[in-house]
Amino acid sequence: MTPEGMIACRDPLGIRPLVMGKIEQSDGSEAVIFASETVALDVVGATFVRSIEPGELVMVKGSEITSHSPFAPVAPRPCIFEFVYFSRPDSISEDRSVYTVRKAIGAQLAIESPVEADLVIPVPDSGTPAALGYAQESGIPFELGIIRSHYVGRTFIQPGDKVRHLGVKLKHNANRALIKGKRVVLIDDSIVRGTTSLKIVEMMREAGAAEVHMRIASPPTRHSCFYGVDTPERAKLLAATKNLEEMATYIKADSLAFISIDGLYKALGEPQRNAIRPSHCDACFTGDYPTTLTDQDDVSSVDQFALLAERMI
């Protein structure tokens, strides 16, 4: 923003979202507003106009709005994790309802990884839409077996282990009367370090659950994100250091399963992931970074060359 006007720009790959809206001012005129997701416009009473295209630069000077394309065109790769976790479920992303996509992810997860159980329980709040989809597809009753305090922030982005452990205890509490003696399926959006999953499973055990099965509405997070998300280095990612059986043992679950990468794309309406030209950035799952990471030691040039060669075949 400058005294002359405002400039908004989205990167050519469109990795992070950007939307434009308009809001009425006290003098009756309209002002332009930009935000990372549509729900932000709803909160301030603005009207959604459109998404900013990947590589688009918008200049606003008073009532004059101009659009420019200063970058060489490339195939966009918006972040697929927006649909899994980052965006609020009441937002619209890529002309899709985030809530509807998350329910579809849960339904696909039920198809891929069924289990005999008495209850489907979401890890609130980000696991709730996927849990609804899982319950509807599987026919297992959906229940709020974990009650969340809305006065505690997201544990995924807390800076230290002690703070994360305390955050889980303050944030979640078991609905003991509902859980005792039941076989439960816990649905969560992802496993990053494993801190939350371990504490949630232990909470279910302490509440008397007969069996605890964990189902995750995203593929294993094996790689760090370098596109504006504060994920830990690979050595601290549970899926980067342990296989599926070891992960299940670590979080003390009777079983553990993740949605497949193709299943995630199916929930978005695609038949499968296009290995040569994927429609989204899914590097946190696949290691297929859409840009060259020249300053990262844990992403070798050999790995990136192999990915490039695969695309060229």
Coordinates of all heavy atoms in Angstrom, one line a residue, residues 45-79:
G45 N -17.8 -8.0 6.4 CA -19.0 -7.5 5.7 C -18.7 -7.1 4.2 O -19.5 -6.4 3.6
A46 N -17.6 -7.7 3.7 CA -17.3 -7.4 2.3 C -17.9 -8.4 1.3 O -18.3 -9.4 1.7 CB -15.7 -7.4 2.1
T47 N -18.0 -8.0 0.1 CA -18.6 -8.8 -1.0 C -17.4 -9.4 -1.8 O -16.5 -8.7 -2.2 CB -19.5 -8.0 -1.9 OG1 -20.5 -7.4 -1.1 CG2 -20.1 -8.9 -2.9
F48 N -17.5 -10.7 -2.0 CA -16.5 -11.4 -2.8 C -16.7 -11.0 -4.3 O -17.8 -11.1 -4.8 CB -16.7 -12.9 -2.6 CG -15.8 -13.8 -3.6 CD1 -14.4 -13.8 -3.4 CD2 -16.4 -14.5 -4.6 CE1 -13.7 -14.6 -4.3 CE2 -15.6 -15.2 -5.5 CZ -14.3 -15.3 -5.3
V49 N -15.6 -10.7 -4.9 CA -15.6 -10.3 -6.3 C -15.1 -11.5 -7.2 O -15.7 -12.0 -8.0 CB -14.8 -9.0 -6.6 CG1 -14.7 -8.7 -8.1 CG2 -15.4 -7.8 -5.9
R50 N -13.8 -11.9 -6.9 CA -13.2 -13.0 -7.6 C -11.9 -13.3 -7.0 O -11.3 -12.6 -6.1 CB -13.0 -12.6 -9.1 CG -11.9 -11.5 -9.3 CD -11.7 -11.2 -10.8 NE -10.8 -10.1 -11.0 CZ -9.5 -10.3 -11.2 NH1 -8.9 -11.5 -11.0 NH2 -8.7 -9.3 -11.4
S51 N -11.4 -14.5 -7.4 CA -10.0 -14.9 -7.0 C -9.0 -14.2 -7.9 O -9.2 -13.9 -9.1 CB -9.8 -16.4 -7.1 OG -10.6 -17.1 -6.2
I52 N -7.9 -13.8 -7.3 CA -6.7 -13.3 -8.1 C -6.1 -14.5 -8.8 O -5.8 -15.5 -8.1 CB -5.7 -12.6 -7.2 CG1 -6.5 -11.4 -6.5 CG2 -4.6 -12.0 -8.1 CD1 -7.2 -10.4 -7.4
E53 N -5.8 -14.4 -10.1 CA -5.2 -15.5 -10.8 C -3.8 -15.7 -10.5 O -3.1 -14.7 -10.1 CB -5.4 -15.3 -12.3 CG -6.8 -15.2 -12.8 CD -7.6 -16.5 -12.6 OE1 -6.9 -17.6 -12.7 OE2 -8.8 -16.5 -12.2
P54 N -3.2 -16.9 -10.6 CA -1.8 -17.1 -10.4 C -1.0 -16.2 -11.4 O -1.3 -16.1 -12.6 CB -1.6 -18.6 -10.7 CG -2.9 -19.2 -10.4 CD -3.9 -18.2 -10.8
G55 N 0.0 -15.5 -10.8 CA 0.8 -14.6 -11.7 C 0.2 -13.3 -12.0 O 0.7 -12.5 -12.7
E56 N -1.0 -13.0 -11.4 CA -1.7 -11.7 -11.7 C -1.3 -10.7 -10.7 O -1.1 -10.9 -9.5 CB -3.2 -11.9 -11.6 CG -4.0 -10.7 -12.0 CD -5.5 -10.9 -11.8 OE1 -5.9 -11.9 -11.4 OE2 -6.3 -9.9 -12.2
L57 N -1.1 -9.4 -11.2 CA -0.8 -8.3 -10.4 C -2.0 -7.3 -10.5 O -2.3 -6.9 -11.7 CB 0.5 -7.6 -10.7 CG 1.0 -6.5 -9.9 CD1 2.5 -6.5 -9.8 CD2 0.5 -5.1 -10.4
V58 N -2.6 -6.9 -9.5 CA -3.7 -5.9 -9.5 C -3.4 -4.6 -8.9 O -2.8 -4.6 -7.7 CB -5.0 -6.5 -8.8 CG1 -6.2 -5.6 -8.8 CG2 -5.4 -7.9 -9.4
M59 N -3.6 -3.5 -9.6 CA -3.3 -2.2 -9.1 C -4.6 -1.5 -8.8 O -5.5 -1.5 -9.7 CB -2.4 -1.4 -10.0 CG -1.1 -2.0 -10.3 SD 0.0 -1.1 -11.4 CE 0.3 0.4 -10.4
V60 N -4.8 -0.8 -7.6 CA -6.0 -0.1 -7.3 C -5.6 1.3 -7.0 O -4.8 1.6 -6.1 CB -6.6 -0.7 -6.0 CG1 -7.9 0.0 -5.7 CG2 -6.9 -2.2 -6.3
K61 N -6.2 2.2 -7.7 CA -6.0 3.7 -7.5 C -7.4 4.3 -7.5 O -8.0 4.5 -8.5 CB -5.2 4.3 -8.6 CG -3.7 3.8 -8.6 CD -2.9 4.6 -9.7 CE -1.5 4.1 -9.7 NZ -0.7 4.8 -10.8
G62 N -7.9 4.6 -6.3 CA -9.2 5.1 -6.1 C -10.2 4.1 -6.6 O -10.2 2.9 -6.2
S63 N -11.0 4.5 -7.6 CA -12.0 3.6 -8.1 C -11.5 2.8 -9.3 O -12.2 2.0 -9.9 CB -13.3 4.3 -8.5 OG -13.0 5.3 -9.5
E64 N -10.3 3.1 -9.7 CA -9.7 2.5 -10.9 C -8.9 1.2 -10.5 O -8.1 1.2 -9.7 CB -8.7 3.4 -11.6 CG -8.1 2.8 -12.9 CD -7.0 3.8 -13.5 OE1 -6.8 4.9 -12.9 OE2 -6.4 3.4 -14.5
I65 N -9.3 0.1 -11.2 CA -8.7 -1.2 -10.9 C -8.1 -1.8 -12.2 O -8.8 -1.9 -13.2 CB -9.7 -2.2 -10.3 CG1 -10.4 -1.7 -9.1 CG2 -9.0 -3.6 -10.1 CD1 -11.5 -2.6 -8.6
T66 N -6.8 -2.0 -12.2 CA -6.2 -2.6 -13.4 C -5.5 -3.9 -13.1 O -5.0 -4.1 -12.0 CB -5.2 -1.6 -14.0 OG1 -4.2 -1.3 -13.0 CG2 -5.9 -0.3 -14.5
S67 N -5.5 -4.8 -14.1 CA -4.9 -6.1 -13.9 C -3.7 -6.2 -14.9 O -3.8 -5.8 -16.1 CB -6.0 -7.2 -14.2 OG -5.4 -8.5 -14.2
H68 N -2.6 -6.8 -14.4 CA -1.4 -7.0 -15.2 C -0.9 -8.4 -15.0 O -1.2 -9.1 -14.0 CB -0.4 -6.0 -14.8 CG -0.8 -4.6 -14.7 ND1 -0.7 -3.7 -15.8 CD2 -1.5 -3.9 -13.8 CE1 -1.3 -2.6 -15.5 NE2 -1.7 -2.6 -14.3
S69 N -0.2 -8.9 -16.0 CA 0.4 -10.2 -16.0 C 1.9 -10.1 -16.3 O 2.4 -10.3 -17.4 CB -0.2 -11.1 -17.1 OG -1.6 -11.3 -16.8
P70 N 2.7 -9.7 -15.3 CA 4.1 -9.4 -15.5 C 5.0 -10.7 -15.6 O 6.2 -10.5 -15.9 CB 4.5 -8.6 -14.3 CG 3.6 -9.1 -13.2 CD 2.3 -9.5 -13.9
F71 N 4.5 -11.9 -15.3 CA 5.3 -13.1 -15.2 C 5.1 -14.0 -16.4 O 4.0 -14.0 -17.0 CB 5.1 -13.8 -13.9 CG 5.2 -13.0 -12.7 CD1 4.1 -12.6 -12.0 CD2 6.4 -12.7 -12.2 CE1 4.2 -11.8 -10.9 CE2 6.6 -11.9 -11.0 CZ 5.4 -11.5 -10.4
A72 N 6.1 -14.7 -16.8 CA 5.9 -15.7 -17.8 C 4.9 -16.8 -17.3 O 5.0 -17.2 -16.2 CB 7.3 -16.4 -18.1
P73 N 4.0 -17.2 -18.2 CA 2.9 -18.1 -17.8 C 3.5 -19.5 -17.5 O 4.4 -20.0 -18.2 CB 2.0 -18.1 -18.9 CG 2.8 -17.7 -20.1 CD 3.8 -16.7 -19.6
V74 N 3.0 -20.1 -16.4 CA 3.4 -21.5 -16.0 C 2.1 -22.2 -15.5 O 1.2 -21.5 -15.2 CB 4.5 -21.5 -14.9 CG1 5.8 -20.9 -15.3 CG2 4.0 -20.7 -13.6
A75 N 2.2 -23.5 -15.5 CA 1.0 -24.2 -15.0 C 0.9 -24.0 -13.5 O 1.9 -24.2 -12.8 CB 1.2 -25.7 -15.3
P76 N -0.3 -23.6 -13.0 CA -0.4 -23.3 -11.6 C -0.3 -24.5 -10.7 O -0.7 -25.6 -11.2 CB -1.8 -22.6 -11.5 CG -2.5 -23.0 -12.7 CD -1.5 -23.2 -13.8
R77 N 0.1 -24.4 -9.5 CA 0.2 -25.5 -8.5 C -0.3 -25.0 -7.1 O 0.5 -24.9 -6.2 CB 1.6 -26.0 -8.4 CG 2.2 -26.7 -9.6 CD 1.8 -28.1 -9.8 NE 2.3 -28.9 -8.6 CZ 3.5 -29.5 -8.5 NH1 4.4 -29.3 -9.5 NH2 3.8 -30.2 -7.5
P78 N -1.6 -24.7 -7.0 CA -2.1 -24.2 -5.7 C -1.9 -25.3 -4.6 O -1.9 -26.5 -4.9 CB -3.6 -23.9 -5.9 CG -3.9 -24.7 -7.1 CD -2.7 -24.7 -8.0
C79 N -1.7 -24.9 -3.4 CA -1.5 -25.8 -2.3 C -2.7 -26.6 -2.0 O -3.8 -26.1 -1.7 CB -1.1 -24.9 -1.0 SG -0.9 -25.9 0.5

